[in-house]
Amino acid sequence: MIRFWPLGFSCLLLYTLFFSCATPTTPTGGPRDENPPVIDTALSTPNFQTKFLKQNISLTFNEWVMLEDVFNQVIISPPLQHKPEIYIKKKSVIIAWDEREILRENVTYTFNFGESVKDLTEKNPAEKLRFVFSTGEFIDSLTLSGKVIDATDGKPLEKIRVMLYASQTDSVVKTQKPLYLSITDKEGRFKMENVRSDTFSLFALEDINFNYKFDLANERIGFPDSLLYLNQNLSDSLVLQVFQEKPLLRLNATDLKSYGVVKALFNQTPEKILVFTDTLAPFLYKEYVKDTLKFWYNPALVKNPWQLRLQNGVNSFDTINFNPPASIQNMGNLRLENTPESGISRFTLKPGEPIPIFLSRPVFSANASKIIQVKDSLPPSDTLFFEQDTVNPRLISLHGRWQEGNTYKLTLPPGTIEDIYGKTTDSLKFTISIGKTEDYGNLAVKFSLIDSAMDYIIQIIDDSQRIFYENQVHGKSPENLSLKLLSPGKYTLKVIKDENNNGIWDTGNLLNHRQPEKIALIPVEEIKANWDVETTVDLIEIFKK
């Protein structure tokens, strides 16, 4: 007997069979597939073509594949004007051109796929997958490779775009896309293949907005000392230091809202601001807080109008006019910058180290004779004295001949410290514990050779970049460095070639073709408690690496 299936059921069965066959799935069971997908050259667009005419490119593989992270993995050199569509069709990767794209004449193009193409089963990436063609008579064949590092610490930088231009002007990186492109890996290394013989400008760019141009103030840039003449393969000899340019110092705003203090807000730390006042101005206390310059003064002492002018070299930023205050405000008592809830400030100090006391306003005077001090419940006979900080007017240090391994309790009665407004502190309480010499280590650095024509800045820093020691060396052999009572930990000797002898590290500048000042970082042996570390540094050799 012949049985007829209902039409609806028959269609459903055919639909299910069709799509179950057409949709690839990951198989289960059996040995793990560790083989990467391989191009089937017979079914793919021929690689390494010359006289290439724009056409969709098809790369067909021996198994089902998938695309992953195309944006970061696929590098097209030279960059195209219009983004092509890259997609999967069965076992093929298709590159479909934007119809507006016009290929350059006599140029070799490369598509580097990185690890974007993977098999569907185990996600094994296709190895060294590249598609190369030339719009001219031949395929360019030279190779260029090197490394990109951070100019401030020498560490390799990943995902930096390294770009070659046929133009020989530095400004080209601001206006044009490159002729050749590569991107650094995790070790900061880059490689360009199929490059022609020519003279190039080379740049390394942290391209934050992904437009292949150096056009943002916070983008970092790097370049070699000279143009690159390429007539043979150049492998790994190039090291590019990437830096952020220092913008021109700019005054963003002035804030006169707070009584007795003027705030000048800049776009960066104002290092070299000249301050001018007229003869009627009160005494000013200057304080730098990151990008802000504060001027503290006592309005009660102002009887006549006065002016404050800020200037950077020959450039005048602003002139601020002041009038005598309409009324004198009550400032309130002077207080600690950070007062603990317990009301007792606690410090652990090294032998010979003072107590740092940060206050809410600039200090005018302090009387250490008022302090009540107790050591282990017994009053000590040590002499105490205050020392005003020469940079921060709100910082004052309290010194004493405190003995190692002991704990002290100090009470500063009301009126011990007075600010510039005539206001004093309430009662302040401190508990200090003095460490022992054997709890710390010592470091001795001997400098063997030095370039007599060069100036240096010598620093000792820890892992958090805190500076424990800094000194300038001017064209002569520096004295051996000896640092006592370092807390156990890891330290680094930082040496800066101070090319312009201004006492600070200077970054580079693209249009002036100026490199950043070179920095050498030399890790020293780990400092341990009750341990002496000695090291010798050749100030010439360290900058050859």
Side-chain angles (χ1 to χ4, degrees):
M1 179 178 67
I2 299 175
R3 177 174 294 176
F4 292 93
W5 295 97
L7 179 61
F9 181 81
S10 302
C11 292
L12 177 63
L13 178 63
L14 290 172
Y15 179 89
T16 304
L17 289 172
F18 176 80
F19 279 98
S20 64
C21 294
T23 304
T25 59
T26 301
T28 59
R32 172 184 168 81
D33 177 15
E34 297 182 352
N35 296 318
V38 177
I39 285 184
D40 185 337
T41 56
L43 299 177
S44 301
T45 303
N47 206 349
F48 296 97
Q49 292 186 54
T50 57
K51 298 182 179 179
F52 182 87
L53 299 177
K54 191 174 72 172
Q55 58 186 285
N56 285 356
I57 298 168
S58 176
L59 304 179
T60 303
F61 292 85
N62 63 337
E63 57 181 316
W64 292 94
V65 292
M66 59 181 292
L67 286 171
E68 190 172 273
D69 196 20
V70 171
F71 180 80
N72 290 308
Q73 291 290 329
V74 179
I75 303 171
I76 305 173
S77 179
L80 302 174
Q81 294 297 321
H82 306 283
K83 184 179 178 181
E85 183 181 2
I86 303 177
Y87 61 93
I88 294 291
K89 183 178 181 181
K90 297 183 179 180
K91 295 183 180 180
S92 301
V93 174
I94 307 297
I95 302 172
W97 301 95
D98 187 295
E99 62 181 13
R100 297 167 295 174
E101 189 68 46
I102 300 175
L103 298 179
R104 307 186 196 188
E105 295 182 359
N106 301 314
V107 169
T108 299
Y109 284 80
T110 62
F111 286 72
N112 291 282
F113 287 85
E115 296 186 350
S116 63
V117 180
K118 301 180 178 182
D119 66 40
L120 194 62
T121 55
E122 299 293 346
K123 293 189 176 182
N124 298 307
E127 296 180 347
K128 299 180 180 179
L129 181 58
R130 301 172 67 242
F131 187 82
V132 182
F133 65 84
S134 173
T135 56
E137 299 282 347
F138 56 87
I139 300 286
D140 296 317
S141 59
L142 295 181
T143 299
L144 170 67
S145 60
K147 188 175 183 179
V148 176
I149 62 173
D150 189 323
T152 62
D153 58 19
K155 293 181 179 180
L157 293 174
E158 184 184 8
K159 296 182 180 179
I160 298 295
R161 294 189 175 188
V162 182
M163 306 183 294
L164 271 180
Y165 295 81
S167 172
Q168 299 180 18
T169 60
D170 287 336
S171 61
V172 66
V173 71
K174 289 178 169 288
T175 59
Q176 298 180 27
K177 289 186 176 183
L179 183 60
Y180 298 97
L181 171 71
S182 180
I183 297 180
T184 58
D185 59 19
K186 292 181 179 179
E187 296 179 348
R189 299 193 176 279
F190 67 89
K191 186 176 183 180
M192 294 182 187
E193 298 179 274
N194 302 106
V195 180
R196 76 188 188 202
S197 176
D198 206 340
T199 300
F200 297 101
S201 296
L202 176 66
F203 302 94
L205 175 65
E206 183 185 35
D207 192 11
I208 293 176
N209 56 357
F210 305 107
N211 68 346
Y212 304 96
K213 296 176 184 178
F214 179 44
D215 58 355
L216 295 179
N218 58 338
E219 289 181 332
R220 291 185 289 177
I221 189 78
F223 46 83
D225 291 328
S226 59
L227 294 171
L228 189 66
Y229 178 62
L230 202 61
N231 61 357
Q232 60 183 358
N233 292 337
L234 190 59
S235 301
D236 299 332
S237 60
L238 280 172
V239 178
L240 301 177
Q241 295 187 91
V242 167
F243 58 89
Q244 185 171 343
E245 289 188 330
K246 185 177 181 178
L248 292 175
L249 186 63
R250 183 179 68 252
L251 179 65
N252 289 334
T254 54
D255 182 356
L256 309 177
K257 297 176 183 177
S258 300
Y259 181 80
V261 60
V262 181
K263 299 176 184 178
L265 292 77
F266 292 86
N267 64 329
Q268 58 185 287
T269 302
E271 295 167 344
K272 297 181 180 179
I273 295 297
L274 300 176
V275 180
F276 300 94
T277 59
D278 57 29
T279 57
L280 300 176
F283 187 83
L284 298 177
Y285 297 80
K286 248 189 333 185
E287 180 187 6
Y288 292 90
V289 183
K290 296 182 179 179
D291 296 347
T292 300
L293 178 56
K294 291 184 178 181
F295 297 96
W296 299 83
Y297 70 98
N298 189 349
L301 303 178
V302 177
K303 305 301 180 184
N304 298 289
W306 60 284
Q307 284 187 338
L308 170 66
R309 189 172 83 253
L310 304 179
Q311 190 168 314
N312 179 28
V314 297
N315 299 317
S316 182
F317 284 122
D318 199 6
T319 298
I320 307 171
N321 296 303
F322 296 86
N323 291 311
S327 62
I328 303 301
Q329 296 184 17
N330 185 359
M331 300 292 289
N333 286 343
L334 181 63
R335 55 181 175 77
L336 291 177
E337 181 64 28
N338 295 297
T339 304
E341 292 183 4
S342 64
I344 301 175
S345 300
R346 301 179 185 276
F347 295 90
T348 298
L349 304 176
K350 299 176 184 178
E353 186 179 14
I355 303 174
I357 302 176
F358 289 90
L359 295 135
S360 57
R361 298 189 291 266
V363 175
F364 179 73
S365 66
N367 186 355
S369 66
K370 294 184 177 183
I371 298 175
I372 302 170
Q373 181 178 215
V374 175
K375 180 189 80 171
D376 298 331
S377 301
L378 296 175
S381 57
D382 294 332
T383 300
L384 302 175
F385 66 94
F386 283 109
E387 182 180 23
Q388 178 74 54
D389 189 79
T390 57
V391 176
N392 189 337
R394 296 190 294 122
L395 172 61
I396 192 168
S397 299
L398 178 59
H399 295 257
R401 292 196 295 268
W402 299 303
Q403 297 175 1
E404 297 182 18
N406 288 304
T407 298
Y408 297 80
K409 295 182 179 180
L410 297 89
T411 300
L412 283 61
T416 300
I417 305 175
E418 181 183 357
D419 68 16
I420 62 173
Y421 307 102
K423 299 298 181 179
T424 59
T425 51
D426 289 328
S427 180
L428 303 177
K429 295 182 182 295
F430 298 91
T431 296
I432 60 172
S433 299
I434 310 302
K436 297 180 180 180
T437 299
E438 56 262 33
D439 295 335
Y440 304 92
N442 304 313
L443 172 63
V445 181
K446 180 181 179 181
F447 299 101
S448 58
L449 291 175
I450 185 171
D451 183 350
S452 60
M454 181 56 62
D455 296 305
Y456 299 89
I457 301 170
I458 310 292
Q459 296 177 344
I460 297 292
I461 60 176
D462 65 5
D463 285 345
S464 64
Q465 304 301 306
R466 178 185 173 190
I467 299 174
F468 286 82
Y469 169 89
E470 183 175 51
N471 189 30
Q472 291 179 248
V473 178
H474 303 287
K476 63 180 181 180
S477 180
E479 297 179 0
N480 294 337
L481 171 61
S482 179
L483 290 180
K484 304 290 186 181
L485 301 176
L486 286 173
S487 298
K490 295 181 179 180
Y491 295 85
T492 299
L493 176 66
K494 182 176 182 178
V495 183
I496 302 170
K497 269 191 170 183
D498 192 10
E499 302 277 357
N500 58 359
N501 189 24
N502 66 347
I504 59 174
W505 177 78
D506 290 294
T507 188
N509 182 273
L510 172 67
L511 296 184
N512 292 333
H513 203 80
R514 186 182 70 241
Q515 296 285 358
E517 291 180 334
K518 291 184 178 180
I519 297 174
L521 298 172
I522 305 100
V524 299
E525 181 183 338
E526 184 174 354
I527 301 295
K528 300 177 181 179
N530 201 26
W531 194 260
D532 292 333
V533 173
E534 297 181 356
T535 187
T536 300
V537 177
D538 183 333
L539 288 177
I540 295 179
E541 189 63 30
I542 59 174
F543 287 103
K544 292 181 179 179
K545 298 179 181 179

